[in-house]
Amino acid sequence: MPENSTSPQHVRTRFAPSPTGFIHLGNIRSALYPWAFARSRQGDFILRIEDTDLERSTQAAVDVILEGMAWLGLDHDEGPYYQMQRMARYKQVLAELQAAGHVYPCYMSVAELDALRERQMAAKQKPRYDGTWRPEPGKTLPPMPEGVLPVLRFRNPQDGVVAWDDKVKGRIEIRNDELDDLVIARPDGTPTYNFCVVVDDIDMRITHVIRGDDHVNNTPRQINIFRALGHEPPVYAHLPTVLNEQGEKMSKRNGAKPVTQYRDEGFLPDAMVNYLARLGWSHGDDEIFSRAQFLEWFDLDHLGRSAAQFDEAKLRWVNAQHLKAMDDAALAPLVAAQLKARGIEADERLPAICGLFKDRCDTTVALADWARAFYADVQPQPEDLAKHVTDTVKPAIATLAGKLAGVEWRADAIAAAIKETLAAHGLKMPQLAMPVRVLVMGTPQTPSLDAVLALCQREKVLARLSRA
Ligand code: GLU
């Protein structure tokens, strides 16, 4: 690990995902808060990939983590560290722990453990390891079986309590006699999960562990390992679960999308950060805020205690607010990327097109749907043509086309041509505007007609009007 000089107040947080499935919004919120806490305290944010589950970890899942975090702007100062690359270090610390007498070999076979569990269940006791191989002064251990490789167990303290002041859940106290001696190394010598986490959190000098509350049961065990290694544990904040729209724990098994899919569906990183921030944290009644405001306001004292429920309609609304507030020049490249995915090259008109349509869109995909009409052919619906482009209005459309062929191509000149046409044919604005919109944009509902036509090229407008 890099050796910076750190004062006790120097905040260091981490996000430690397991790449065993595509990271979804519920997971990424556990990255957002430690990131925000580090950024708002001028601290460091560390990314650590917990890839020791070799069967379930995949590179594709790592890629979604890295891509998703980069997209959301959750930049890390150190890492990504990969636990699989730190095995030698874990084994070294394990040896130290063993030398200090905190670890002992246990030769109990799986069959014996099963039998023990059954006896305990029959006696209505909590299944737990009974300490058979735990050395004690004056105790005679069973004879060592031949040819059996032992697991290593951590000698958990037997008296007192493990307690911590959780930033979300308040004070939690667990009696040590409720914790049995945890296996911290398998028969082949590989260290187990809880041990690796503690070694990492020590080596990475983590000051605040902010993670999902599915880990709250691991915390007392981890705290005891911290102390056995001569370290005080960090501050803990265990975040409540994120539920999906059906009220179940969000998981990819019940349809949660990978984070990167929201990018592809046209959501803005700042809107996602805003929405996710509110999913478990609040600042008064503020619903819409910028990334900078969030970082200014974020603290661990206003984390919500109850499970938060994902609401796609609200996410869309938050996205629409950010879209509206966003600078057209900043929006254009995002919409250009959406157009490019459809094989359309945008041009310098795109910022103005964004400006004209962003109020009626909730994603950059919806914006690209509009922008498309300025670059690619439109196919008006036969019903719209039948309804709006009637024989009565066709002569007026021809008059307008004639005028548009000669005007200077600017909104005010176009507006004047429309007005003259209306006067010449005794029509009201909607009678002409609706059919022209259907022909030119493929739909009767658009922003102000002169502005729309001005952004469409003259040749395109004339060609489309000539289909009347
Ligand atoms: N790797 C764990 C997970 O993905 C997180 C462990 C931790 O934050 O301590 O759930």
Side-chain angles (χ1 to χ4, degrees):
M1 299 300 112
E3 283 297 325
N4 301 335
S5 63
T6 49
S7 68
Q9 289 77 34
H10 187 81
V11 165
R12 287 175 60 89
T13 63
R14 61 12 171 230
F15 177 48
S18 306
T20 54
F22 297 125
I23 189 168
H24 55 66
L25 292 188
N27 305 134
I28 202 86
R29 195 196 57 171
S30 300
L32 177 64
Y33 293 163
W35 170 82
F37 190 60
R39 289 289 164 270
S40 67
R41 300 295 184 282
Q42 283 73 49
D44 298 318
F45 176 60
I46 291 127
L47 176 60
R48 173 168 95 219
I49 307 288
E50 301 201 326
D51 56 353
T52 54
D53 184 341
L54 291 179
E55 259 159 47
R56 293 173 57 229
S57 299
T58 64
Q59 184 57 44
V62 173
D63 292 344
V64 174
I65 293 168
L66 299 178
E67 248 183 73
M69 291 180 71
W71 171 55
L72 293 175
L74 308 183
D75 56 323
H76 51 270
D77 303 291
E78 287 174 30
Y81 296 114
Y82 291 84
Q83 285 190 323
M84 281 312 290
Q85 294 172 9
R86 289 180 38 79
M87 280 297 151
R89 172 66 183 150
Y90 304 138
K91 288 183 183 170
Q92 179 193 0
V93 178
L94 195 59
E96 286 166 20
L97 206 56
Q98 194 166 11
H102 290 292
V103 168
Y104 62 91
C106 167
Y107 294 86
M108 205 179 247
S109 67
V110 176
E112 286 173 308
L113 278 169
D114 287 347
L116 174 64
R117 185 178 312 120
E118 269 169 36
R119 283 200 304 280
Q120 288 169 330
M121 307 254 279
K124 302 234 171 342
Q125 291 165 355
K126 206 167 134 190
R128 63 208 303 276
Y129 177 65
D130 64 356
T132 300
W133 289 91
R134 177 171 168 132
E136 301 291 357
K139 172 177 169 188
T140 318
L141 294 177
M144 218 183 274
E146 292 269 317
V148 177
L149 287 173
V151 298
L152 291 183
R153 287 189 183 267
F154 175 67
R155 237 184 121 86
N156 201 75
Q158 286 177 321
D159 306 322
V161 295
V162 202
W164 76 96
D165 291 308
D166 196 280
K167 281 297 198 180
V168 180
K169 297 182 182 293
R171 184 147 184 97
I172 299 186
E173 289 190 2
I174 308 290
R175 290 200 346 243
N176 268 322
D177 62 14
E178 294 199 15
L179 306 170
D180 58 4
D181 288 349
L182 187 73
V183 173
I184 64 171
R186 301 184 183 87
D188 66 0
T190 56
T192 59
Y193 173 74
N194 277 293
F195 179 68
C196 300
V197 168
V198 174
V199 174
D200 286 346
D201 285 341
I202 291 173
D203 282 355
M204 296 169 196
R205 305 190 310 285
I206 302 301
T207 58
H208 295 73
V209 167
I210 303 165
R211 63 183 172 197
D213 67 2
D214 45 337
H215 290 282
V216 82
N217 289 336
N218 290 327
T219 305
R221 298 177 176 289
Q222 292 183 3
I223 290 176
N224 282 335
I225 300 173
F226 263 97
R227 298 215 165 109
L229 288 169
H231 289 266
E232 271 309 295
V235 173
Y236 290 97
H238 286 96
L239 307 168
T241 314
V242 177
L243 304 175
N244 66 14
E245 300 209 279
Q246 289 71 46
E248 305 150 345
K249 186 177 157 116
M250 188 179 271
S251 97
K252 74 165 179 149
R253 274 182 299 282
N254 52 27
K257 298 179 202 169
V259 166
T260 44
Q261 195 170 326
Y262 290 92
R263 171 196 59 195
D264 304 341
E265 291 181 7
F267 290 87
L268 301 168
D270 282 7
M272 295 299 293
V273 164
N274 181 165
Y275 178 76
L276 288 171
R278 283 287 294 109
L279 208 57
W281 169 86
S282 56
H283 180 265
D285 293 331
D286 292 302
E287 289 291 353
I288 300 297
F289 40 82
S290 68
R291 188 179 290 256
Q293 274 167 331
F294 172 49
L295 292 183
E296 192 186 315
W297 294 336
F298 186 72
D299 59 24
L300 299 180
D301 299 324
H302 292 88
L303 291 169
R305 285 183 171 219
S306 48
Q309 188 161 12
F310 175 66
D311 176 350
E312 170 123 6
K314 175 141 184 223
L315 170 62
R316 285 190 173 273
W317 175 77
V318 170
N319 204 54
Q321 307 311 307
H322 280 262
L323 204 81
K324 247 189 260 189
M326 208 166 152
D327 207 48
D328 298 339
L331 205 45
L334 302 178
V335 178
Q338 298 287 356
L339 288 170
K340 202 168 176 133
R342 306 178 195 193
I344 296 170
E345 279 304 326
D347 59 12
E348 73 293 339
R349 292 175 293 158
L350 192 55
I353 295 170
C354 290
L356 197 53
F357 287 89
K358 66 183 178 185
D359 278 0
R360 52 184 72 209
C361 294
D362 57 11
T363 63
T364 56
V365 167
L367 206 36
D369 288 341
W370 280 111
R372 193 194 161 280
F374 294 85
Y375 297 100
D377 202 13
V378 296
Q379 304 285 329
Q381 296 296 312
E383 314 83 81
D384 284 334
L385 289 173
K387 183 170 170 203
H388 297 288
V389 189
T390 57
D391 287 343
T392 349
V393 81
K394 280 181 185 171
I397 294 173
T399 306
L400 179 65
K403 289 182 186 296
L404 291 181
V407 296
E408 205 181 319
W409 204 249
R410 289 196 340 244
D412 54 354
I414 293 170
I418 295 169
K419 224 166 144 194
E420 286 163 23
T421 308
L422 293 176
H425 290 266
L427 295 173
K428 296 227 166 359
M429 183 59 127
Q431 293 171 292
L432 180 63
M434 301 289 246
V436 171
R437 285 170 168 141
V438 168
L439 288 166
V440 176
M441 294 296 291
T443 160
Q445 257 81 45
T446 75
S448 157
L449 185 60
D450 48 4
V452 168
L453 294 183
L455 283 170
C456 208
Q457 288 136 331
R458 187 198 312 260
E459 310 72 61
K460 270 210 171 84
V461 172
L462 296 181
R464 290 176 188 179
L465 289 182
S466 72
R467 292 180 194 156

